Amino acid sequence: MLEDFLTAARARAPEPSEALMARILADADAIRPRRAIAKRSLRERFGTLFGGWQGIGGLATATAAGLWIGYAGIADPGTLSGGLVEPGAETVELMPGADVFALASAVEG
Amino acid sequence: MAFDAEDDRTDEALLALYGRGDAAAARALAFRLTPRVLRVAARMLGDAAEAEDVAQEAMLRLWRIAPDWRSDGAKVSTWLYRVVVNLATDRLRRRRSVPLDAVQEPEDDAPGAVGRMIEADRAAALEQALLELPERQREAVVLRHLEGLANPEIAAIMGVGVEAVESLVARGKRGLTKALVDRREELGFGND
């Protein structure tokens, strides 16, 4: 006997109304995670600000170099490259004869 | 069941998509899961308006947990059934002060008309008898015999062992039978 009642109840199951479905879908939309923008972490935003990991790498290198120069107290920063550049290449004449033009210009006045 | 005719993706896959902002996944989940949630709430509470409120609240909790959902083998439907059962139980406890006589009787304009009740009357009689069962028995019977869930899943939903579920279902069915026997003649089972 009980099975007949259970069968009848299963056949007469309540169905969600359109209004209920609308409310549920409105809730889902209201709290739906907005992808990308909302999900980006502080670290990601910081990285983007300085040009990604390449930018941060360059910035870190420059910062480390600055700290080293400041800590070492080098009087003449020009000597920093002394060990890397050959002595003969210290002066390069980019405009041969430029001093003559400069002298002529000064004389003509 | 984690599948339906319109969308063969699992509940878990759809929830993960919604958690990443997919609106269509929410729609598929809502149409798949809301009927189940509403059925359980209605059978537990015996009140259509309250059942709708519970269904909406349960689905709201599902939307909220989506970004943090970690499957770990757990089924979305099991989690959701547990939420519904707990919400319905909370409401039942709040209305404890209401005497049983005040619970609305199902409409029953022509009982036993021409010696035979229609199916709707049997369903209404069962729903009324369900409301007279102790809450835990009612939960177990609804999940087992109206939702068609297996005992291990019901055990997970109710937070008890499988043997306890079997016991609750058995006692619930005995209680239902006893309540319905009194109306047997009236409901067209006099000659069964």
Side-chain angles (χ1 to χ4, degrees):
Chain A
M1 180 194 81
L2 180 58
E3 190 50 47
D4 293 320
F5 283 81
L6 290 166
T7 302
R10 281 193 292 268
R12 212 184 68 130
E15 293 286 334
S17 64
E18 283 184 21
L20 175 63
M21 292 308 298
R23 293 202 318 256
I24 287 172
L25 291 172
D27 285 344
D29 192 57
I31 60 174
R32 177 166 57 91
R34 266 38 179 183
R35 64 182 107 189
I37 296 169
K39 293 290 285 180
R40 285 173 63 198
S41 67
L42 184 63
R43 184 176 160 182
E44 287 170 327
R45 278 180 280 169
F46 186 78
T48 305
L49 186 67
F50 289 99
W53 65 269
Q54 299 97 328
I56 300 245
L59 187 63
T61 305
T63 305
L67 280 172
W68 178 59
I69 291 167
Y71 178 75
I74 296 167
D76 181 6
T79 62
L80 284 172
S81 61
L84 299 174
V85 181
E86 289 179 22
E90 280 179 0
T91 54
V92 176
E93 201 156 354
L94 294 174
M95 290 180 63
D99 50 344
V100 177
F101 285 112
L103 180 64
S105 172
V107 169
E108 289 175 7
Chain B
M1 274 201 324
F3 298 92
D4 66 10
E6 295 178 4
D7 194 327
D8 61 1
R9 289 172 292 183
T10 63
D11 298 341
E12 293 71 31
L14 288 170
L15 191 62
L17 283 172
Y18 171 73
R20 294 196 293 272
D22 188 327
R27 190 173 173 80
L29 271 178
F31 278 96
R32 184 185 295 180
L33 297 176
T34 304
R36 301 182 208 177
V37 166
L38 182 69
R39 284 198 302 266
V40 173
R43 263 82 183 246
M44 289 286 297
L45 294 163
D47 181 294
E50 270 197 298
E52 287 205 343
D53 288 348
V54 164
Q56 186 180 1
E57 174 65 24
M59 293 302 290
L60 185 62
R61 293 188 186 194
L62 180 68
W63 308 138
R64 286 197 178 125
I65 203 174
D68 304 316
W69 177 263
R70 296 288 175 271
S71 180
D72 297 332
K75 288 170 66 180
V76 169
S77 58
T78 303
W79 180 89
L80 192 59
Y81 275 126
R82 186 159 57 226
V83 170
V84 175
V85 165
N86 289 341
L87 288 171
T89 303
D90 287 347
R91 288 194 175 234
L92 288 170
R93 287 180 184 155
R94 265 185 265 146
R95 48 153 117 131
R96 275 276 156 73
S97 57
V98 180
L100 197 60
D101 291 348
V103 176
Q104 192 182 0
E105 280 278 339
E107 289 178 21
D108 202 1
D109 294 330
V114 201
R116 185 169 179 82
M117 295 286 285
I118 58 172
E119 194 175 67
D121 293 320
R122 290 177 189 168
L126 183 96
E127 285 162 9
Q128 181 61 29
L130 269 176
L131 293 175
E132 292 165 13
L133 287 181
E135 284 164 25
R136 299 290 275 174
Q137 293 179 25
R138 191 186 318 162
E139 285 171 31
V141 170
V142 167
L143 294 172
R144 180 74 189 89
H145 288 288
L146 296 180
E147 289 302 300
L149 303 184
N151 285 348
E153 184 170 10
I154 299 171
I157 292 166
M158 295 181 68
V160 297
V162 173
E163 286 183 8
V165 171
E166 290 168 355
S167 170
L168 286 166
V169 170
R171 280 184 284 152
K173 287 174 75 176
R174 280 199 297 274
L176 286 179
T177 304
K178 186 174 181 302
L180 292 168
V181 158
D182 298 340
R183 298 185 65 189
R184 193 169 179 164
E185 289 285 334
E186 180 187 351
L187 294 168
F189 283 85
N191 298 323
D192 290 357

